[in-house]
Amino acid sequence: MPLRDRLNQAHYQQAVRSARFFEKDEQQAWLAEVADRHAFEQAQQAASALRQNASKRPLAKRAVWALVGVLLLCSGYYWQTGRLQIVQAGQQAFSDFQQQTQNEDSQQRNDHYIVSLQNQLRQDVNNGELWLELGQAYSLNNEFESALICFDYAQRLLGAKPAILGAMASADYYQHKQTLTQQGKKWIEQALLRDPKESTSLLLLASNAFLHNQFREAIGYWEQVLESENPAIDRQAIIKSIKMAQQRIATSK
Protein backbone atom coordinates (compact mmCIF):
# COMPACT_ATOMS: atom_id res chain seq x y z
CA MET A 1 0.00 0.00 0.00
CA PRO A 2 1.46 3.43 -0.96
CA LEU A 3 2.56 5.73 1.85
CA ARG A 4 -0.23 8.23 1.20
CA ASP A 5 -2.84 5.47 1.35
CA ARG A 6 -1.41 4.22 4.63
CA LEU A 7 -1.47 7.71 6.10
CA ASN A 8 -5.06 8.29 5.03
CA GLN A 9 -6.10 4.92 6.42
CA ALA A 10 -4.36 5.66 9.74
CA HIS A 11 -6.05 9.07 9.90
CA TYR A 12 -9.43 7.48 9.21
CA GLN A 13 -8.96 4.87 11.95
CA GLN A 14 -7.83 7.57 14.37
CA ALA A 15 -10.88 9.68 13.57
CA VAL A 16 -13.15 6.69 14.16
CA ARG A 17 -11.56 6.13 17.56
CA SER A 18 -12.17 9.77 18.41
CA ALA A 19 -15.93 9.14 18.28
CA ARG A 20 -15.80 8.11 21.93
CA PHE A 21 -15.15 11.74 22.87
CA PHE A 22 -18.58 12.77 21.54
CA GLU A 23 -21.91 12.47 23.28
CA LYS A 24 -23.81 9.31 22.44
CA ASP A 25 -26.36 11.04 20.22
CA GLU A 26 -23.57 12.70 18.21
CA GLN A 27 -21.38 9.64 17.69
CA GLN A 28 -23.34 8.16 14.77
CA ALA A 29 -23.40 11.47 12.90
CA TRP A 30 -19.66 11.90 13.40
CA LEU A 31 -18.89 8.35 12.21
CA ALA A 32 -21.06 8.84 9.12
CA GLU A 33 -19.26 12.06 8.27
CA VAL A 34 -15.86 10.45 8.78
CA ALA A 35 -16.81 7.56 6.49
CA ASP A 36 -18.03 9.95 3.79
CA ARG A 37 -14.89 12.03 4.07
CA HIS A 38 -12.72 8.92 3.84
CA ALA A 39 -14.52 7.80 0.68
CA PHE A 40 -14.15 11.29 -0.76
CA GLU A 41 -10.38 11.26 -0.16
CA GLN A 42 -10.05 7.79 -1.68
CA ALA A 43 -11.80 9.03 -4.81
CA GLN A 44 -9.38 11.95 -5.00
CA GLN A 45 -6.43 9.58 -4.81
CA ALA A 46 -7.89 7.41 -7.55
CA ALA A 47 -8.33 10.44 -9.80
CA SER A 48 -4.74 11.49 -9.17
CA ALA A 49 -3.47 8.04 -10.13
CA LEU A 50 -5.50 8.07 -13.33
CA ARG A 51 -4.21 11.50 -14.29
CA GLN A 52 -0.63 10.29 -13.97
CA ASN A 53 -1.29 7.48 -16.44
CA ALA A 54 -3.55 9.42 -18.80
CA SER A 55 -0.77 10.41 -21.21
CA LYS A 56 0.04 6.75 -21.88
CA ARG A 57 -3.52 5.46 -21.91
CA PRO A 58 -6.00 7.38 -24.11
CA LEU A 59 -8.98 5.60 -22.59
CA ALA A 60 -7.84 6.65 -19.15
CA LYS A 61 -8.37 10.30 -20.10
CA ARG A 62 -12.09 9.70 -20.35
CA ALA A 63 -12.08 7.97 -17.00
CA VAL A 64 -10.18 10.87 -15.49
CA TRP A 65 -12.68 13.44 -16.70
CA ALA A 66 -15.59 11.27 -15.60
CA LEU A 67 -14.10 10.86 -12.15
CA VAL A 68 -13.30 14.56 -11.94
CA GLY A 69 -16.95 15.25 -12.70
CA VAL A 70 -18.00 12.95 -9.88
CA LEU A 71 -15.60 14.68 -7.53
CA LEU A 72 -16.98 18.08 -8.49
CA LEU A 73 -20.50 16.85 -7.80
CA CYS A 74 -19.37 15.42 -4.44
CA SER A 75 -17.63 18.66 -3.57
CA GLY A 76 -20.71 20.66 -4.49
CA TYR A 77 -22.91 18.36 -2.43
CA TYR A 78 -20.62 18.63 0.57
CA TRP A 79 -20.42 22.40 0.28
CA GLN A 80 -24.13 23.02 -0.22
CA THR A 81 -25.23 20.75 2.60
CA GLY A 82 -22.59 22.04 4.96
CA ARG A 83 -21.31 18.52 5.61
CA LEU A 84 -17.79 19.37 4.50
CA GLN A 85 -17.63 22.12 7.10
CA ILE A 86 -18.94 19.72 9.74
CA VAL A 87 -16.24 17.16 8.94
CA GLN A 88 -13.52 19.79 8.88
CA ALA A 89 -14.74 21.23 12.18
CA GLY A 90 -14.74 17.75 13.71
CA GLN A 91 -11.24 17.07 12.44
CA GLN A 92 -10.03 20.38 13.84
CA ALA A 93 -11.64 19.62 17.20
CA PHE A 94 -9.92 16.24 17.31
CA SER A 95 -6.59 17.83 16.32
CA ASP A 96 -7.00 20.39 19.11
CA PHE A 97 -7.80 17.58 21.55
CA GLN A 98 -4.64 15.69 20.54
CA GLN A 99 -2.51 18.80 20.99
CA GLN A 100 -4.08 19.45 24.37
CA THR A 101 -3.44 15.91 25.63
CA GLN A 102 0.19 16.09 24.48
CA ASN A 103 0.68 19.19 26.62
CA GLU A 104 -0.97 17.69 29.70
CA ASP A 105 0.63 15.61 32.41
CA SER A 106 -0.57 12.12 33.32
CA GLN A 107 -2.90 13.33 36.08
CA GLN A 108 -4.60 15.82 33.77
CA ARG A 109 -5.09 13.10 31.16
CA ASN A 110 -6.50 10.84 33.85
CA ASP A 111 -8.87 13.63 34.91
CA HIS A 112 -10.19 13.77 31.35
CA TYR A 113 -10.55 10.00 31.38
CA ILE A 114 -12.57 10.22 34.60
CA VAL A 115 -14.89 12.80 33.07
CA SER A 116 -15.32 10.59 30.00
CA LEU A 117 -16.23 7.59 32.16
CA GLN A 118 -18.65 9.68 34.19
CA ASN A 119 -20.39 10.81 31.00
CA GLN A 120 -20.67 7.21 29.82
CA LEU A 121 -22.14 6.15 33.16
CA ARG A 122 -24.81 8.83 32.85
CA GLN A 123 -25.93 6.97 29.74
CA ASP A 124 -25.62 3.51 31.31
CA VAL A 125 -25.55 3.67 35.09
CA ASN A 126 -25.80 -0.12 35.42
CA ASN A 127 -22.58 -0.83 33.53
CA GLY A 128 -20.40 -2.57 36.10
CA GLU A 129 -17.30 -2.55 33.90
CA LEU A 130 -17.47 1.24 33.67
CA TRP A 131 -17.76 1.51 37.45
CA LEU A 132 -14.68 -0.70 37.77
CA GLU A 133 -12.73 1.43 35.29
CA LEU A 134 -13.79 4.61 37.06
CA GLY A 135 -12.62 3.19 40.38
CA GLN A 136 -9.24 2.35 38.89
CA ALA A 137 -8.97 5.85 37.45
CA TYR A 138 -9.73 7.38 40.85
CA SER A 139 -7.08 5.13 42.39
CA LEU A 140 -4.50 6.50 39.95
CA ASN A 141 -5.41 9.98 41.20
CA ASN A 142 -5.00 8.83 44.81
CA GLU A 143 -8.72 9.46 45.39
CA PHE A 144 -9.17 6.19 47.23
CA GLU A 145 -12.46 6.97 48.95
CA SER A 146 -14.10 7.68 45.59
CA ALA A 147 -12.43 4.59 44.17
CA LEU A 148 -13.93 2.39 46.88
CA ILE A 149 -17.40 3.76 46.17
CA CYS A 150 -17.00 2.89 42.49
CA PHE A 151 -15.65 -0.58 43.26
CA ASP A 152 -18.62 -1.18 45.55
CA TYR A 153 -21.03 -0.35 42.71
CA ALA A 154 -19.03 -2.62 40.39
CA GLN A 155 -19.28 -5.45 42.90
CA ARG A 156 -23.04 -5.03 43.22
CA LEU A 157 -23.47 -5.19 39.45
CA LEU A 158 -20.84 -7.79 38.54
CA GLY A 159 -20.61 -9.83 41.71
CA ALA A 160 -17.65 -10.42 44.02
CA LYS A 161 -15.12 -11.00 41.27
CA PRO A 162 -11.51 -11.55 42.40
CA ALA A 163 -10.25 -8.54 40.44
CA ILE A 164 -12.79 -6.25 42.09
CA LEU A 165 -11.99 -7.58 45.56
CA GLY A 166 -8.29 -7.08 44.91
CA ALA A 167 -8.89 -3.54 43.69
CA MET A 168 -10.94 -2.77 46.81
CA ALA A 169 -8.20 -4.14 49.06
CA SER A 170 -5.58 -2.07 47.26
CA ALA A 171 -7.58 1.16 47.53
CA ASP A 172 -8.26 0.47 51.21
CA TYR A 173 -4.55 -0.22 51.81
CA TYR A 174 -3.37 3.09 50.38
CA GLN A 175 -6.27 5.02 51.88
CA HIS A 176 -4.98 3.89 55.28
CA LYS A 177 -1.39 4.89 54.48
CA GLN A 178 -0.09 1.47 53.46
CA THR A 179 -1.75 -0.43 56.26
CA LEU A 180 -3.54 -3.73 55.79
CA THR A 181 -6.81 -3.30 57.64
CA GLN A 182 -8.98 -6.20 58.73
CA GLN A 183 -11.39 -5.40 55.92
CA GLY A 184 -8.53 -5.27 53.43
CA LYS A 185 -7.25 -8.67 54.59
CA LYS A 186 -10.75 -10.08 54.24
CA TRP A 187 -11.04 -8.84 50.65
CA ILE A 188 -7.64 -10.33 49.79
CA GLU A 189 -8.56 -13.68 51.32
CA GLN A 190 -11.81 -13.76 49.36
CA ALA A 191 -10.06 -12.77 46.12
CA LEU A 192 -7.32 -15.40 46.42
CA LEU A 193 -9.82 -18.04 47.48
CA ARG A 194 -11.65 -17.49 44.19
CA ASP A 195 -8.48 -17.01 42.14
CA PRO A 196 -5.12 -17.94 43.74
CA LYS A 197 -3.31 -15.97 41.01
CA GLU A 198 -5.28 -12.73 41.35
CA SER A 199 -2.49 -10.30 40.56
CA THR A 200 -3.65 -7.15 42.38
CA SER A 201 -3.94 -9.01 45.68
CA LEU A 202 -0.57 -10.73 45.25
CA LEU A 203 1.16 -7.48 44.30
CA LEU A 204 -0.36 -5.79 47.33
CA LEU A 205 0.89 -8.56 49.62
CA ALA A 206 4.33 -8.36 48.02
CA SER A 207 4.55 -4.60 48.48
CA ASN A 208 3.43 -4.84 52.09
CA ALA A 209 5.95 -7.61 52.82
CA PHE A 210 8.77 -5.61 51.23
CA LEU A 211 7.75 -2.54 53.23
CA HIS A 212 8.15 -4.55 56.44
CA ASN A 213 11.52 -6.02 55.36
CA GLN A 214 10.00 -9.45 54.72
CA PHE A 215 11.98 -9.82 51.52
CA ARG A 216 11.72 -13.58 51.01
CA GLU A 217 7.98 -13.43 51.45
CA ALA A 218 7.78 -10.53 49.00
CA ILE A 219 9.79 -12.48 46.43
CA GLY A 220 7.41 -15.41 46.81
CA TYR A 221 4.39 -13.23 46.03
CA TRP A 222 6.09 -11.60 43.05
CA GLU A 223 7.06 -14.99 41.65
CA GLN A 224 3.43 -16.09 41.86
CA VAL A 225 2.45 -13.03 39.85
CA LEU A 226 5.04 -13.87 37.19
CA GLU A 227 3.57 -17.35 36.92
CA SER A 228 0.14 -15.93 36.14
CA GLU A 229 -1.11 -15.40 32.60
CA ASN A 230 -2.17 -11.80 33.14
CA PRO A 231 -0.96 -9.85 30.05
CA ALA A 232 -1.32 -6.52 31.86
CA ILE A 233 1.46 -7.34 34.31
CA ASP A 234 4.66 -5.31 33.98
CA ARG A 235 6.96 -8.30 34.26
CA GLN A 236 10.11 -6.25 33.84
CA ALA A 237 9.21 -4.09 36.84
CA ILE A 238 8.44 -7.16 38.95
CA ILE A 239 11.77 -8.76 38.05
CA LYS A 240 13.53 -5.55 39.11
CA SER A 241 11.65 -5.65 42.42
CA ILE A 242 12.71 -9.26 42.97
CA LYS A 243 16.35 -8.37 42.31
CA MET A 244 16.09 -5.46 44.73
CA ALA A 245 14.70 -7.77 47.42
CA GLN A 246 17.48 -10.27 46.74
CA GLN A 247 20.06 -7.51 47.17
CA ARG A 248 18.49 -6.55 50.48
CA ILE A 249 18.72 -10.16 51.62
CA ALA A 250 22.36 -10.35 50.55
CA THR A 251 23.35 -7.14 52.34
CA SER A 252 21.56 -8.15 55.54
CA LYS A 253 23.73 -11.25 56.00
Side-chain angles (χ1 to χ4, degrees):
M1 181 184 293
L3 177 60
R4 182 178 177 184
D5 289 351
R6 292 201 302 271
L7 291 174
N8 284 335
Q9 183 66 21
H11 178 74
Y12 168 69
Q13 293 173 349
Q14 190 177 45
V16 170
R17 288 194 295 271
S18 72
R20 65 191 180 92
F21 298 110
F22 290 82
E23 295 296 335
K24 189 173 182 180
D25 57 347
E26 297 176 348
Q27 287 181 1
Q28 293 301 321
W30 166 251
L31 290 172
E33 298 301 337
V34 169
D36 286 345
R37 180 65 176 177
H38 183 56
F40 181 73
E41 290 176 351
Q42 286 182 319
Q44 286 182 313
Q45 292 173 30
S48 177
L50 284 173
R51 283 196 298 270
Q52 291 175 1
N53 296 326
S55 60
K56 298 180 181 180
R57 297 166 56 191
L59 290 177
K61 292 182 179 180
R62 299 179 183 177
V64 168
W65 287 112
L67 189 52
V68 167
V70 172
L71 289 174
L72 289 173
L73 288 174
C74 290
S75 299
Y77 170 72
Y78 263 89
W79 184 262
Q80 291 177 3
T81 60
R83 297 180 73 185
L84 179 59
Q85 292 91 326
I86 293 174
V87 173
Q88 290 175 334
Q91 290 174 334
Q92 183 61 47
F94 180 60
S95 177
D96 293 342
F97 175 82
Q98 284 184 308
Q99 184 63 40
Q100 180 183 359
T101 54
Q102 289 174 358
N103 295 332
E104 293 174 343
D105 59 27
S106 58
Q107 181 169 345
Q108 288 175 315
R109 287 194 293 271
N110 197 51
D111 287 340
H112 283 296
Y113 183 51
I114 287 174
V115 172
S116 174
L117 290 171
Q118 290 172 337
N119 289 335
Q120 292 179 63
L121 279 168
R122 290 189 182 97
Q123 302 294 328
D124 186 8
V125 71
N126 292 320
N127 190 320
E129 295 293 342
L130 287 177
W131 281 111
L132 179 57
E133 285 188 52
L134 183 57
Q136 292 168 337
Y138 275 127
S139 292
L140 288 175
N141 271 11
N142 297 326
E143 299 178 46
F144 301 114
E145 184 175 357
S146 297
L148 283 168
I149 293 173
C150 294
F151 291 144
D152 183 59
Y153 275 109
Q155 183 183 26
R156 295 182 192 180
L157 294 166
L158 301 175
K161 291 187 175 182
I164 298 176
L165 294 169
M168 294 173 75
S170 181
D172 181 77
Y173 177 77
Y174 289 105
Q175 183 185 30
H176 291 90
K177 299 180 179 180
Q178 294 180 286
T179 300
L180 269 179
T181 65
Q182 290 301 316
Q183 181 61 69
K185 292 178 181 178
K186 182 179 179 180
W187 282 328
I188 290 175
E189 290 174 0
Q190 292 175 345
L192 294 177
L193 183 63
R194 290 169 169 79
D195 180 6
K197 294 184 179 180
E198 202 287 302
S199 56
T200 302
S201 298
L202 291 172
L203 288 172
L204 178 57
L205 290 173
S207 297
N208 188 65
F210 187 89
L211 181 66
H212 292 89
N213 299 324
Q214 299 168 344
F215 303 119
R216 296 185 188 278
E217 188 175 347
I219 291 173
Y221 289 128
W222 280 321
E223 288 178 341
Q224 290 183 61
V225 176
L226 290 177
E227 292 171 0
S228 70
E229 298 179 356
N230 188 343
I233 294 301
D234 187 345
R235 298 180 181 279
Q236 185 176 4
I238 293 176
I239 291 172
K240 287 182 179 179
S241 297
I242 290 175
K243 290 181 178 179
M244 186 182 299
Q246 290 172 337
Q247 290 174 355
R248 295 290 185 89
I249 293 173
T251 56
S252 63
K253 292 181 179 180

